[in-house]
Amino acid sequence: MTNKSIKIFAPATVANVACGFDIFGFALDNPGDELSVTLNNSSNVKITKISGDSGRLPLDPQKNTAGVSVLKFLEHLKSKQGLDIELHKKMPLGSGLGSSAASSVGSLFAVNALLGHPLSPLELLPFAMEGERVACGTAHADNVAPGLLGGFVLIRSYSPLDVIQVPCALNLYCTILHPDIEIRTETARKILKPNITMQQHVVQTGNATGLILGLTQGDADLIHKCLQDVIAEPIRSTLIPGFQGIKEAALHAGALGCSISGSGPSLFALSLTNTDAEKIGEAMSRTCQENNLNSHLYISKMNFEGPRVLS
């Protein structure tokens, strides 16, 4: 058999999007990971190389999100096809930008393409979620769903799984500030309270519903009003030094809203133009420096394509 290979880009993602804990997410154009997958003549799935992780990620496919997702996928297809996978991590680990999801999404997208697209992106989703289970103990979909499908995604239900792509009438830009610290997803989930009050439920439901309307109707003012999180952000923000000041700087610079990306420590801010996004980023970075904390800044449009083939 002649080896066949593919190289793809797997996007970073913003999960929760303030008011949509575990149910909202959207994909980014920048940053993202790169993966190379090659069919081999054996029946083994091997992770042959990982770069950009400082040696922290396991090469064992049973313990790596990319490997687990592909193994579940091949098991579903009853395929004995062997694969060599190379991961090139281009975003920080534990950043709140869906690093583990990008590995799962990228490997599945690549293998599915090499095997002739036996499944649709939506049908690949359950296998990507199994990678998330390995990464953080919970098979959540708010990173892997937008990573696979692109755009802004609503996970309406987990049982049964029901995922909806939300049309966006505005060409939104996203500013991502990643403070130079790491927060493990397991830690950020464990500190959340198991129950919420009725008042929190009412406020959060109103904001989540309003955000969807704002996106579909192109109502920037409504989006601004609804990018508020009364459940996770008040607790998780305590893990991020200077969080409140960075958020206020973003809003003062013109952001439609600013909150924690996924489990943090990255913060995201939405805006209507690239110029606004850069201005917001400068304000957020400056405030981060005032807290004696280094950071990385990314400016990105919302990615409606999902993964893409590089070669």
Side-chain angles (χ1 to χ4, degrees):
M1 185 187 74
T2 302
N3 285 355
K4 292 198 294 184
S5 184
I6 190 171
K7 183 177 181 180
I8 65 98
F9 167 85
T13 46
V14 171
N16 301 335
V17 199
C19 53
F21 180 78
D22 274 5
I23 61 170
F24 289 168
F26 64 85
L28 298 169
D29 271 335
N30 175 52
D33 288 345
E34 294 179 5
L35 295 92
S36 297
V37 179
T38 303
L39 303 181
N40 65 38
N41 292 319
S42 76
S43 59
N44 298 319
V45 172
K46 295 179 282 187
I47 299 177
T48 57
K49 180 180 178 181
I50 305 177
S51 65
D53 69 327
S54 301
R56 294 171 55 192
L57 297 178
L59 289 169
D60 184 346
Q62 299 279 3
K63 298 178 180 178
N64 187 292
T65 58
V68 167
S69 299
V70 167
L71 288 168
K72 294 287 186 182
F73 170 61
L74 293 175
E75 181 183 331
H76 171 79
L77 294 180
K78 296 181 173 58
S79 171
K80 298 293 186 180
Q81 176 62 57
L83 303 161
D84 294 335
I85 302 173
E86 290 187 13
L87 300 175
H88 305 286
K89 304 300 292 182
K90 300 291 185 76
M91 70 178 91
L93 304 184
S95 60
L97 296 174
S99 176
S100 61
S103 294
S104 296
V105 164
S107 60
L108 282 170
F109 180 87
V111 175
N112 193 53
L114 287 173
L115 297 182
H117 301 280
L119 298 184
S120 70
L122 190 59
E123 290 171 328
L124 292 174
L125 184 54
F127 309 110
M129 291 171 64
E130 288 305 310
E132 292 291 75
R133 190 190 305 278
V134 169
C136 67
T138 305
H140 59 98
D142 50 348
N143 287 112
V144 289
L148 273 170
L149 304 175
F152 193 103
V153 170
L154 160 67
I155 296 93
R156 188 203 65 80
S157 168
Y158 277 89
S159 182
L161 186 63
D162 186 10
V163 176
I164 300 164
Q165 290 181 277
V166 178
C168 296
L170 294 173
N171 190 19
L172 294 174
Y173 288 79
C174 186
T175 303
I176 297 284
L177 179 93
H178 174 243
D180 195 14
I181 60 174
E182 181 179 339
I183 297 175
R184 292 184 62 81
T185 303
E186 303 100 305
T187 302
R189 294 188 83 89
K190 284 178 181 176
I191 65 172
L192 295 177
K193 297 177 181 178
N195 301 301
I196 62 172
T197 67
M198 181 62 74
Q199 182 181 6
Q200 288 173 310
H201 163 71
V202 171
V203 172
Q204 198 87 340
T205 304
N207 284 333
T209 306
L211 179 58
I212 296 297
L213 285 173
L215 291 170
T216 57
Q217 296 178 357
D219 189 334
D221 185 56
L222 183 56
I223 292 172
H224 169 67
K225 291 176 182 176
C226 294
L227 282 171
Q228 306 289 337
D229 175 14
V230 298
I231 295 175
E233 182 184 301
I235 299 171
R236 286 179 165 176
S237 61
T238 61
L239 301 175
I240 305 171
F243 169 82
Q244 199 57 43
I246 299 170
K247 177 177 179 175
E248 289 174 0
L251 296 174
H252 184 72
L256 294 176
C258 177
S259 189
I260 303 170
S261 177
S263 57
S266 293
L267 285 77
F268 79 93
L270 293 180
S271 54
L272 296 174
T273 69
N274 187 71
T275 300
D276 286 344
E278 291 179 347
K279 179 183 175 184
I280 292 162
E282 290 170 3
M284 295 172 75
S285 295
R286 188 165 54 248
T287 307
C288 199
Q289 289 176 346
E290 291 170 359
N291 285 277
N292 299 313
L293 193 60
N294 293 327
S295 63
H296 292 86
L297 191 68
Y298 305 96
I299 307 293
S300 176
K301 295 173 75 171
M302 198 176 289
N303 171 359
F304 289 93
E305 181 183 6
R308 62 177 179 268
V309 176
L310 298 176
S311 62

